């Protein structure tokens, strides 16, 4: 009977998730008004801050400055720490001076303890302290009453902290109605000690100064002695100690612990970032509505243009105007809300105010001062790392569905791609491939010989991805479960037992990935002798790792669940980060540290870029969702996560043939290119929509494959510098106001501009080509267009408007084969797009495409390509590296050229030969045929 009841409960829960006829039920997810701490903090309105800085407690060391902050209302003391960091950054930390227990500080996200630089006091009086941030013009002003920080460049205020008085720090406390006389006495004794330390410290500093008047000293001592009498009694508010949402109660054993802080950005009207939200690129004003929410949640078929939380959370915000780009990194993993208010500040100067509200933890914020967009990317990368350099094949096309039924189905789909001459590299298996949703297993009836299946793919140089979710079926015969339970690696409930909830397998436990020992064990499960049936061409997909708990509050875990000494409320947004970290490490370990991993995650946090790719989750086959894939991925790229894509065709519902074609054309120019579909949708392999549409999809996929060398180069640069691969136009044209709000077109690197067709029945689009004095070339027709204009483009179903920037050189491989690995030794075609001065530059990067040997053994080729003075040359950008390649230069197309009399090739060995060429006067394209030179050597082509 119990088993029957469990099955019925699971059926009722899953029926919600299996339905594809309705959009998200917003009533399942909180608004700010329904979140006690958010509504409590938001009730605090701008005004004079209740906090003042006690400048007499200021201490300055080689690495940082500390000063105490006093809440004038409740007399609670906070500790402010200021750090001047290398690379033009400032770190601000605020914590309780003497908390009754430690507050959570986020580990593992920063790649190192950020190096500091000396900070010096240049002026000080009883009202403020002025600190140097390097250089003559850079200053940080700490004002005492009320507490405020201003970062200045000369007379200009770049950023103000607490200028609106919204700093609020709920101190940890003991619940009044449970305090015994003994506990009360103990707390009182502790408070007396804190006061004594503060009073003593204040007096000592005053004596050391030796310059204070006796009356001032008397006043300070009087304030210190009178604090207890002056403190306002704290009044408990609803939701502080217990909160119920629908049928779920959060017991809040630690009581209220939320924090809030405001930042003002004078001169700023455009702010970006804080993904993940299904909204436009530029953040909107949240006055009168909900703030943007950062709380990783399983939200299927999400609504568009909505600030509600989705699957991932990166608490990084960028501001931009024509003079400067800056960034704010709020390092807190608890549920967070962000208010954005844009308007006018003093003197009618535009200003954007940003307020961060988090449920627990401390204030730990990094202020990245730019000044250019690329500087902010470099600064953030120095904190959290760069995008992992993926295997080249993972940049190709992925075919996925929930679910391919069995080995025969996989084989038939694989063969279908060959029969229709459509390349692909990865085929994916969703949850149905397992033995009853037991991850790391196979259904023996459907997939009896997984190694044979994988070998068949390997023979075609293709690969597979299987899903491995972090909810583990509670089953005493399941090795993964019994191992985790015996080792004590499960998350605990508030009472200390293993936390259990409902997910795809039914009753499931949730491993505690915050535990490094758990992560180490999880990684070991990817070894070939542990994950039976796995091979080197099998990779991993981490889904449902928000974590998703079907019968939990807001479809996630109870906040009072325990990760060792910490509540889940403290670490929630880190959970998916840790799952992907452990999985990526497992893939690296199984190869002895040789092979690069490929791991896709749905949930993510700051730093997730170090471990693989993300996608935008359970979208729908609707035109609006196709459009939204662009700003969603652009936002992720701005905060370090370049390897982003959306389910091509839409996960829910059934796309029309037109929508599917347009989605392939868009997805082919986004970093992660995967088609995916829901279990209940009709099959939609690319050849099932008629021969005309098959041809259109084939062409889009083939365009992706020809550009793989360029995509790979962009990811190489992203891994080295932190620059986004897919980027908004304003990143490269920061002074062009026309670009600041564009989110229906984008750049890939610097040199390709893409304006996908995302409207049903479209006969034309208008693309903005940036850059006054620049030129752009249509990559299909080679027609030349001037920059700084809105270009009207007629389109048909075959159109994908893409432009190459004049002054760039892009390398392609035009011999498209069944997979990217089959193209490894194929020749290159160079597209040289001349600028208005007749010059161009580019790069070529080559390595083995899958190992770490480019790092460990310097086995790679990195070449500079330059066209100037009617000569095209290839020179070595990394003389101390080496890598043998069989690829050669098959053709060179020079756009915007003039007809030469002759073309000759010279090489480093002194050889010289003539090169066959052809010139098209209608398009001004000069084609040089078969220079025949190896792609890894120095050479020069002379146009005479």
């Amino acid at each position: 009977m119990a088993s029957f009841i469990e099955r019925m409960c699971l059926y009722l829960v899953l029926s919600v998730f299996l339905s594809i006829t309705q959009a998200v039920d917003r009533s399942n997810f909180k608004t700010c008004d329904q979140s006690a701490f958010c509504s409590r903090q938001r009730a605090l309105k701008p005004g004079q801050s209740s906090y003042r800085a006690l400048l007499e407690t200021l201490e300055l060391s080689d690495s940082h400055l500390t000063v105490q902050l006093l809440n004038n209302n409740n007399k609670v003391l906070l500790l402010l720490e200021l750090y001047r960091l290398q690379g033009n950054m400032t770190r601000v930390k605020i914590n309780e001076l003497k908390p009754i227990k430690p507050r959570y500080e986020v580990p593992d996200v920063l790649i190192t303890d950020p190096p500091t630089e000396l900070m010096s006091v240049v002026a000080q009086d009883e009202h403020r302290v002025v600190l140097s941030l390097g250089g003559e013009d850079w200053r940080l002003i700490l004002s005492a009453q009320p507490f405020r920080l201003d970062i200045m460049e000369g007379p200009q205020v770049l950023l103000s902290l607490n200028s609106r008085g919204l700093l609020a720090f709920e101190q940890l406390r003991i619940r009044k109605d449970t305090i015994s006389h003994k506990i009360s006495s103990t707390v009182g004794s502790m408070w007396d000690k804190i006061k004594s330390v503060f009073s003593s410290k204040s007096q000592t500093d005053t004596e050391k100064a030796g310059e204070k008047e006796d009356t001032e000293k008397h006043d300070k001592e009087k304030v210190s002695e009178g604090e207890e009498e002056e403190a306002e009694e704290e009044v408990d508010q609803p939701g502080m100690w217990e909160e119920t949402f629908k049928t779920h109660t959060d017991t809040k054993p630690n009581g209220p612990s939320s924090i809030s802080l405001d930042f003002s950005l004078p001169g700023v009207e455009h702010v970006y970032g804080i993904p993940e939200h299904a909204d436009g690129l530029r953040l909107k004003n949240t006055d009168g509505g909900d703030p943007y929410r950062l709380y990783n949640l399983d939200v299927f078929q999400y609504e568009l243009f909505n600030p509600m939380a989705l699957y991932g959370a990166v608490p990084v915000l960028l501001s931009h105007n024509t003079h400067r780009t800056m960034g704010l990194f709020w390092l807190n993993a608890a549920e967070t809300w962000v208010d954005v208010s844009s308007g006018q500040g003093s003197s009618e100067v535009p200003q954007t105010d940003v307020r961060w509200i988090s449920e627990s933890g401390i204030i730990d914020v990094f202020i990245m001062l730019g000044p250019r967009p690329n500087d902010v990317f470099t600064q953030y990368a120095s904190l959290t790392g760069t995008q992992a350099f993926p295997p080249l094949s993972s940049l190709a096309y992925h075919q996925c569905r929930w679910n391919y039924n069995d080995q025969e189905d996989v084989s038939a789909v694989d063969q279908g791609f060959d029969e229709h001459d459509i390349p692909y590299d990865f085929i994916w298996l969703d949850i149905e491939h397992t033995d009853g949703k037991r991850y790391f297993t196979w259904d023996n009836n459907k997939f009896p010989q997984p190694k044979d299946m994988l070998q068949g793919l390997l023979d075609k140089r293709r690969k597979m991805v299987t899903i491995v979710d972090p909810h583990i079926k509670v089953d005493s015969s399941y090795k993964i479960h019994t191992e985790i339970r015996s080792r004590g690696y499960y998350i605990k409930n508030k009472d200390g037992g293993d936390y259990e909830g409902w997910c795809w397998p039914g009753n499931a436990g949730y491993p505690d990935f915050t535990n490094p020992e758990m992560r180490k064990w999880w990684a070991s499960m990817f070894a070939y002798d542990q994950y039976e049936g796995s091979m080197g061409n099998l990779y991993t997909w981490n889904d449902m790792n928000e974590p998703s708990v079907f019968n939990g509050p807001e479809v996630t875990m109870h906040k009072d669940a325990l990760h060792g000494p910490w509540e889940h409320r403290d670490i929630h947004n880190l959970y998916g980060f840790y799952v992907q970290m452990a999985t990526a490490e497992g893939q690296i370990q199984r190869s002895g540290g040789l092979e690069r991993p490929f791991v896709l995650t749905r949930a993510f946090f700051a730093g997730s870029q170090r471990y693989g790719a993300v996608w935008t989750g359970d979208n729908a086959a609707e035109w609006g969702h196709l459009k939204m894939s662009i700003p969603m991925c652009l936002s992720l790229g701005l905060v370090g996560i370049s390897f982003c894509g959306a389910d091509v065709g839409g996960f829910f519902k059934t796309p029309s043939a037109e929508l599917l074609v347009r989605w392939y054309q868009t997805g082919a120019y986004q970093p992660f290119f995967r088609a995916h579909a829901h279990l209940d949708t009709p099959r939609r392999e690319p050849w099932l929509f008629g021969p005309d549409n098959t041809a259109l999809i084939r062409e889009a996929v083939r365009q992706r494959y020809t550009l793989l060398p360029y995509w790979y180069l962009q990811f190489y640069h992203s891994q080295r510098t932190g620059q986004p691969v897919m980027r908004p136009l304003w990143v490269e044209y920061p002074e062009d106001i026309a670009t600041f709000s564009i989110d229906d077109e984008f750049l890939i690197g610097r040199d390709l501009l893409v304006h996908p067709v995302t409207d049903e029945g479209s006969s034309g689009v208008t693309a903005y080509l940036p850059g006054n004095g620049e030129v752009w070339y249509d990559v299909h027709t080679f027609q030349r267009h001037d920059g700084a204009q809105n270009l009207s483009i007629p389109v048909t179903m075959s159109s994908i408007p893409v432009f190459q920037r004049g002054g760039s050189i892009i390398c392609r491989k035009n011999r498209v084969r069944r997979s990217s690995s089959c193209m490894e030794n194929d020749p290159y075609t160079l597209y040289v797009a001349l600028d208005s001065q007749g010059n161009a530059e580019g790069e070529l990067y080559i390595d083995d495409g899958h190992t770490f040997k480019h790092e460990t053994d310097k086995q790679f080729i990195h070449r500079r390509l330059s066209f100037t003075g009617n000569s095209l040359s290839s020179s070595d950008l990394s003389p101390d590296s080496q890598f043998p390649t069989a690829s050669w230069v098959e053709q060179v197309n020079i756009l915007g050229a003039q007809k030469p009399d002759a073309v000759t090739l010279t090489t480093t060995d002194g050889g010289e030969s003539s090169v066959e060429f052809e010139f098209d006067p209608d398009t001004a394209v000069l084609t040089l045929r078969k220079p025949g030179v190896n792609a890894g050597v120095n050479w020069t082509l002379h146009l005479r």
Side-chain angles (χ1 to χ4, degrees), residues 5-26:
I5 293 174
E6 285 182 355
R7 288 198 300 271
M8 289 303 297
C9 289
L10 179 60
Y11 171 79
L12 292 173
V13 171
L14 295 187
S15 63
V16 176
F17 290 85
L18 293 175
S19 171
I20 62 172
T21 58
Q22 296 181 349
V24 59
D25 182 355
R26 292 184 62 185

mmCIF file of all heavy atoms in Angstrom, residues 5-26:
data_model
loop_
_atom_site.group_PDB
_atom_site.id
_atom_site.type_symbol
_atom_site.label_atom_id
_atom_site.label_comp_id
_atom_site.label_asym_id
_atom_site.label_seq_id
_atom_site.Cartn_x
_atom_site.Cartn_y
_atom_site.Cartn_z
ATOM 1 N N ILE A 5 0.871 4.333 -2.659
ATOM 2 C CA ILE A 5 0.645 5.730 -2.284
ATOM 3 C C ILE A 5 1.797 6.592 -2.760
ATOM 4 O O ILE A 5 1.607 7.699 -3.275
ATOM 5 C CB ILE A 5 0.460 5.847 -0.754
ATOM 6 C CG1 ILE A 5 -0.841 5.150 -0.330
ATOM 7 C CG2 ILE A 5 0.458 7.310 -0.316
ATOM 8 C CD1 ILE A 5 -1.040 5.074 1.162
ATOM 9 N N GLU A 6 3.045 6.099 -2.586
ATOM 10 C CA GLU A 6 4.205 6.859 -3.045
ATOM 11 C C GLU A 6 4.131 7.096 -4.547
ATOM 12 O O GLU A 6 4.414 8.195 -5.027
ATOM 13 C CB GLU A 6 5.491 6.121 -2.685
ATOM 14 C CG GLU A 6 5.841 6.203 -1.211
ATOM 15 C CD GLU A 6 7.151 5.507 -0.912
ATOM 16 O OE1 GLU A 6 7.721 4.891 -1.845
ATOM 17 O OE2 GLU A 6 7.611 5.566 0.238
ATOM 18 N N ARG A 7 3.742 6.044 -5.281
ATOM 19 C CA ARG A 7 3.665 6.193 -6.736
ATOM 20 C C ARG A 7 2.602 7.210 -7.120
ATOM 21 O O ARG A 7 2.788 8.012 -8.045
ATOM 22 C CB ARG A 7 3.378 4.848 -7.388
ATOM 23 C CG ARG A 7 4.552 3.873 -7.360
ATOM 24 C CD ARG A 7 4.358 2.764 -8.380
ATOM 25 N NE ARG A 7 3.147 1.994 -8.141
ATOM 26 C CZ ARG A 7 3.086 0.925 -7.367
ATOM 27 N NH1 ARG A 7 4.176 0.496 -6.754
ATOM 28 N NH2 ARG A 7 1.961 0.282 -7.218
ATOM 29 N N MET A 8 1.473 7.206 -6.415
ATOM 30 C CA MET A 8 0.412 8.148 -6.723
ATOM 31 C C MET A 8 0.855 9.583 -6.403
ATOM 32 O O MET A 8 0.577 10.512 -7.156
ATOM 33 C CB MET A 8 -0.856 7.804 -5.929
ATOM 34 C CG MET A 8 -1.552 6.527 -6.431
ATOM 35 S SD MET A 8 -1.987 6.642 -8.192
ATOM 36 C CE MET A 8 -3.149 7.990 -8.163
ATOM 37 N N CYS A 9 1.555 9.749 -5.270
ATOM 38 C CA CYS A 9 2.048 11.091 -4.925
ATOM 39 C C CYS A 9 3.021 11.581 -5.978
ATOM 40 O O CYS A 9 2.976 12.743 -6.398
ATOM 41 C CB CYS A 9 2.731 11.063 -3.552
ATOM 42 S SG CYS A 9 1.583 10.856 -2.177
ATOM 43 N N LEU A 10 3.905 10.686 -6.405
ATOM 44 C CA LEU A 10 4.872 11.078 -7.426
ATOM 45 C C LEU A 10 4.161 11.427 -8.726
ATOM 46 O O LEU A 10 4.509 12.399 -9.403
ATOM 47 C CB LEU A 10 5.876 9.948 -7.660
ATOM 48 C CG LEU A 10 6.943 10.229 -8.723
ATOM 49 C CD1 LEU A 10 7.763 11.448 -8.337
ATOM 50 C CD2 LEU A 10 7.842 9.005 -8.922
ATOM 51 N N TYR A 11 3.129 10.646 -9.060
ATOM 52 C CA TYR A 11 2.379 10.933 -10.286
ATOM 53 C C TYR A 11 1.767 12.331 -10.231
ATOM 54 O O TYR A 11 1.828 13.092 -11.192
ATOM 55 C CB TYR A 11 1.286 9.890 -10.494
ATOM 56 C CG TYR A 11 0.349 10.245 -11.620
ATOM 57 C CD1 TYR A 11 0.723 10.036 -12.958
ATOM 58 C CD2 TYR A 11 -0.891 10.827 -11.362
ATOM 59 C CE1 TYR A 11 -0.131 10.383 -13.992
ATOM 60 C CE2 TYR A 11 -1.743 11.176 -12.382
ATOM 61 C CZ TYR A 11 -1.358 10.953 -13.710
ATOM 62 O OH TYR A 11 -2.196 11.304 -14.725
ATOM 63 N N LEU A 12 1.180 12.673 -9.079
ATOM 64 C CA LEU A 12 0.554 13.982 -8.964
ATOM 65 C C LEU A 12 1.574 15.106 -9.062
ATOM 66 O O LEU A 12 1.325 16.145 -9.677
ATOM 67 C CB LEU A 12 -0.202 14.073 -7.629
ATOM 68 C CG LEU A 12 -1.434 13.175 -7.509
ATOM 69 C CD1 LEU A 12 -1.988 13.219 -6.095
ATOM 70 C CD2 LEU A 12 -2.503 13.605 -8.511
ATOM 71 N N VAL A 13 2.741 14.882 -8.450
ATOM 72 C CA VAL A 13 3.786 15.916 -8.514
ATOM 73 C C VAL A 13 4.319 16.053 -9.930
ATOM 74 O O VAL A 13 4.455 17.148 -10.469
ATOM 75 C CB VAL A 13 4.931 15.564 -7.536
ATOM 76 C CG1 VAL A 13 6.102 16.503 -7.747
ATOM 77 C CG2 VAL A 13 4.447 15.661 -6.091
ATOM 78 N N LEU A 14 4.595 14.916 -10.568
ATOM 79 C CA LEU A 14 5.189 14.957 -11.900
ATOM 80 C C LEU A 14 4.207 15.470 -12.944
ATOM 81 O O LEU A 14 4.621 16.020 -13.971
ATOM 82 C CB LEU A 14 5.674 13.576 -12.312
ATOM 83 C CG LEU A 14 6.813 12.976 -11.483
ATOM 84 C CD1 LEU A 14 7.297 11.691 -12.131
ATOM 85 C CD2 LEU A 14 7.960 13.951 -11.346
ATOM 86 N N SER A 15 2.917 15.301 -12.697
ATOM 87 C CA SER A 15 1.947 15.742 -13.696
ATOM 88 C C SER A 15 2.069 17.231 -13.963
ATOM 89 O O SER A 15 1.816 17.703 -15.064
ATOM 90 C CB SER A 15 0.524 15.414 -13.224
ATOM 91 O OG SER A 15 0.210 16.131 -12.033
ATOM 92 N N VAL A 16 2.476 17.969 -12.951
ATOM 93 C CA VAL A 16 2.682 19.403 -13.137
ATOM 94 C C VAL A 16 3.823 19.646 -14.108
ATOM 95 O O VAL A 16 3.771 20.492 -14.993
ATOM 96 C CB VAL A 16 2.981 20.076 -11.774
ATOM 97 C CG1 VAL A 16 3.292 21.552 -11.974
ATOM 98 C CG2 VAL A 16 1.811 19.901 -10.826
ATOM 99 N N PHE A 17 4.896 18.855 -13.969
ATOM 100 C CA PHE A 17 6.090 19.087 -14.765
ATOM 101 C C PHE A 17 5.968 18.506 -16.162
ATOM 102 O O PHE A 17 6.623 18.969 -17.090
ATOM 103 C CB PHE A 17 7.311 18.493 -14.048
ATOM 104 C CG PHE A 17 7.661 19.253 -12.814
ATOM 105 C CD1 PHE A 17 7.024 18.975 -11.618
ATOM 106 C CD2 PHE A 17 8.589 20.277 -12.859
ATOM 107 C CE1 PHE A 17 7.339 19.693 -10.472
ATOM 108 C CE2 PHE A 17 8.907 20.996 -11.728
ATOM 109 C CZ PHE A 17 8.266 20.694 -10.531
ATOM 110 N N LEU A 18 5.139 17.509 -16.334
ATOM 111 C CA LEU A 18 4.998 16.885 -17.646
ATOM 112 C C LEU A 18 4.008 17.623 -18.532
ATOM 113 O O LEU A 18 3.962 17.420 -19.735
ATOM 114 C CB LEU A 18 4.558 15.435 -17.477
ATOM 115 C CG LEU A 18 5.610 14.519 -16.831
ATOM 116 C CD1 LEU A 18 5.013 13.138 -16.600
ATOM 117 C CD2 LEU A 18 6.857 14.422 -17.682
ATOM 118 N N SER A 19 3.198 18.497 -17.917
ATOM 119 C CA SER A 19 2.248 19.269 -18.713
ATOM 120 C C SER A 19 2.971 20.318 -19.537
ATOM 121 O O SER A 19 3.864 20.982 -19.069
ATOM 122 C CB SER A 19 1.242 19.960 -17.784
ATOM 123 O OG SER A 19 0.464 20.870 -18.514
ATOM 124 N N ILE A 20 2.568 20.422 -20.783
ATOM 125 C CA ILE A 20 3.202 21.436 -21.640
ATOM 126 C C ILE A 20 2.165 22.397 -22.209
ATOM 127 O O ILE A 20 2.433 23.133 -23.131
ATOM 128 C CB ILE A 20 3.988 20.768 -22.790
ATOM 129 C CG1 ILE A 20 3.040 19.964 -23.682
ATOM 130 C CG2 ILE A 20 5.097 19.910 -22.282
ATOM 131 C CD1 ILE A 20 3.699 19.437 -24.935
ATOM 132 N N THR A 21 1.002 22.402 -21.603
ATOM 133 C CA THR A 21 -0.069 23.236 -22.153
ATOM 134 C C THR A 21 -0.159 24.586 -21.465
ATOM 135 O O THR A 21 -0.830 25.477 -21.955
ATOM 136 C CB THR A 21 -1.419 22.510 -22.015
ATOM 137 O OG1 THR A 21 -1.662 22.221 -20.635
ATOM 138 C CG2 THR A 21 -1.392 21.214 -22.807
ATOM 139 N N GLN A 22 0.499 24.738 -20.302
ATOM 140 C CA GLN A 22 0.389 25.984 -19.578
ATOM 141 C C GLN A 22 1.779 26.516 -19.270
ATOM 142 O O GLN A 22 2.738 25.774 -19.167
ATOM 143 C CB GLN A 22 -0.386 25.773 -18.268
ATOM 144 C CG GLN A 22 -1.840 25.356 -18.513
ATOM 145 C CD GLN A 22 -2.581 25.169 -17.203
ATOM 146 O OE1 GLN A 22 -1.986 25.156 -16.147
ATOM 147 N NE2 GLN A 22 -3.888 25.022 -17.297
ATOM 148 N N ALA A 23 1.854 27.831 -19.092
ATOM 149 C CA ALA A 23 3.109 28.456 -18.707
ATOM 150 C C ALA A 23 3.321 28.275 -17.208
ATOM 151 O O ALA A 23 2.523 27.656 -16.511
ATOM 152 C CB ALA A 23 3.083 29.932 -19.088
ATOM 153 N N VAL A 24 4.418 28.856 -16.712
ATOM 154 C CA VAL A 24 4.758 28.728 -15.306
ATOM 155 C C VAL A 24 3.616 29.240 -14.425
ATOM 156 O O VAL A 24 2.958 30.231 -14.742
ATOM 157 C CB VAL A 24 6.057 29.508 -15.015
ATOM 158 C CG1 VAL A 24 5.895 30.976 -15.358
ATOM 159 C CG2 VAL A 24 6.476 29.348 -13.575
ATOM 160 N N ASP A 25 3.389 28.559 -13.309
ATOM 161 C CA ASP A 25 2.425 29.001 -12.309
ATOM 162 C C ASP A 25 3.170 29.919 -11.347
ATOM 163 O O ASP A 25 3.889 29.461 -10.455
ATOM 164 C CB ASP A 25 1.846 27.789 -11.569
ATOM 165 C CG ASP A 25 0.795 28.189 -10.541
ATOM 166 O OD1 ASP A 25 0.587 29.406 -10.348
ATOM 167 O OD2 ASP A 25 0.196 27.292 -9.930
ATOM 168 N N ARG A 26 3.000 31.206 -11.525
ATOM 169 C CA ARG A 26 3.761 32.166 -10.730
ATOM 170 C C ARG A 26 3.423 32.089 -9.254
ATOM 171 O O ARG A 26 4.211 32.538 -8.402
ATOM 172 C CB ARG A 26 3.532 33.581 -11.258
ATOM 173 C CG ARG A 26 4.128 33.805 -12.632
ATOM 174 C CD ARG A 26 3.970 35.242 -13.090
ATOM 175 N NE ARG A 26 4.659 36.172 -12.199
ATOM 176 C CZ ARG A 26 4.590 37.494 -12.327
ATOM 177 N NH1 ARG A 26 3.860 38.034 -13.285
ATOM 178 N NH2 ARG A 26 5.242 38.283 -11.497
#
